[in-house]
Amino acid sequence: MSQPLQTAAAGVHIAGLRKAYGDNEVLKGISLDVSPGEVVCLIGPSGSGKSTLLRCINLLEQPNDGIIEVGGYAVTDPDVDVDQMRRHVGMVFQQFNLFPHLTVLGNCTVSQVKVLKRPKAEAESIARAELESVGLGHLAHRYPGELSGGQQQRVAIARALSMNPSLMLFDEPTSALDPETVGDVLAIMRKLAQAGMTMVVVTHEMGFAKEVADKVVFMDGGVVVEQGPAAAVIGNPQEARTKDFLRRVLDPNHVVVEED
């Protein structure tokens, strides 16, 4: 039987991970290691398997084959306690997934009470502290519909942090935001990285990846094409597919001329 996670920052070990939907193989034998306290950014074109990989880590998607371990916890063990595992893995999505009928404070306390069985007063105290940490303590009694997109995403981060996770997964957390609010969310993520949180981030924000990531992984077609230190992969990529992707992302005016 799998051993429970420790409360400290957790590492991730992935080996031979495969995921298919019918005949469509989305992940084709992915292997990746994330050290405790490391920030890894997954980059690549849409449809490359980045989000599917992230969702497999906390079993929102069931892998077809391969091994995933989080903090020594065998996620892909058939006997895994999924609920226990997910208590230690926070996830922030593109869409904020907040409960519209609950206040900001309610959103940040409900899972603490129901899943962690914390007393309501303790859960609210923790939630208020996390909301303060993302600059939203003064909005605790507002409802999600009264907040901007950037504020809602910061609440989603506070909600995940209220569960005291050992690992944070971010699936393109800024893609649904207005440009002026992207910086607020990235600033929170920088603080988490500086505090030593293990983070796996799917992102198109190349500046953030280059500045914050310990490792950048470029995926395309369901495989890891290139990985290494952020400065190397983004600043001096070795693979032609990586170079072409970065040229398109970093220079949106770049036009590819098809040759006969």
Side-chain angles (χ1 to χ4, degrees):
M1 197 71 167
S2 302
Q3 295 301 310
L5 283 164
Q6 303 302 310
T7 55
V12 182
H13 171 66
I14 300 171
L17 184 65
R18 296 183 178 276
K19 174 63 181 177
Y21 302 96
D23 295 331
N24 180 24
E25 191 173 27
V26 178
L27 300 177
K28 305 173 182 178
I30 297 289
S31 294
L32 176 67
D33 285 293
V34 183
S35 299
E38 192 172 41
V39 178
V40 173
C41 284
L42 307 179
I43 66 172
S46 297
S48 59
K50 307 182 301 297
S51 293
T52 301
L53 171 58
L54 214 63
R55 292 171 67 87
C56 282
I57 293 175
N58 67 351
L59 294 183
L60 290 176
E61 298 286 353
Q62 186 67 46
N64 296 111
D65 195 16
I67 295 171
I68 303 174
E69 296 177 354
V70 176
Y73 198 104
V75 174
T76 44
D77 185 328
D79 296 323
V80 67
D81 184 334
V82 176
D83 291 335
Q84 172 71 9
M85 178 272 294
R86 285 184 181 154
R87 292 179 186 183
H88 303 277
V89 181
M91 187 158 182
V92 177
F93 302 86
Q94 297 178 42
Q95 302 300 328
F96 323 120
N97 292 355
L98 300 176
F99 296 113
H101 65 289
L102 295 179
T103 64
V104 165
L105 186 63
N107 268 278
C108 294
T109 58
V110 61
S111 291
Q112 293 187 68
V113 172
K114 290 188 175 182
V115 177
L116 300 183
K117 309 301 181 185
R118 285 175 178 159
K120 184 178 179 181
E122 179 185 356
E124 288 188 351
S125 176
I126 291 169
R128 289 182 186 278
E130 295 298 349
L131 287 168
E132 287 290 345
S133 77
V134 300
L136 295 177
H138 62 297
L139 299 180
H141 296 293
R142 296 280 184 90
Y143 286 87
E146 300 176 284
L147 306 182
S148 70
Q151 289 171 332
Q152 289 187 61
Q153 192 62 294
R154 286 151 66 192
V155 171
I157 294 172
R159 176 180 61 182
L161 293 175
S162 293
M163 299 293 284
N164 192 30
S166 304
L167 167 69
M168 284 287 289
L169 308 176
F170 292 88
D171 189 4
E172 297 191 38
T174 61
S175 65
L177 303 181
D178 294 328
E180 63 267 24
T181 64
V182 168
D184 293 336
V185 172
L186 294 181
I188 301 300
M189 294 171 67
R190 285 189 186 92
K191 285 172 57 179
L192 288 176
Q194 292 165 0
M197 174 67 75
T198 310
M199 298 163 57
V200 183
V201 183
V202 174
T203 186
H204 291 295
E205 300 287 344
M206 294 301 120
F208 172 83
K210 191 170 184 180
E211 175 190 349
V212 177
D214 299 293
K215 183 191 301 179
V216 168
V217 178
F218 172 67
M219 293 179 61
D220 192 16
V223 302
V224 172
V225 176
E226 186 168 354
Q227 63 177 297
V233 174
I234 296 176
N236 187 29
Q238 300 302 301
E239 299 293 332
R241 290 158 78 186
T242 316
K243 292 177 181 177
D244 182 60
F245 170 77
L246 289 170
R247 187 163 56 244
R248 293 166 186 261
V249 171
L250 299 174
D251 181 8
N253 295 317
H254 175 73
V255 177
V256 177
V257 178
E258 298 289 346
E259 296 183 357
D260 294 333

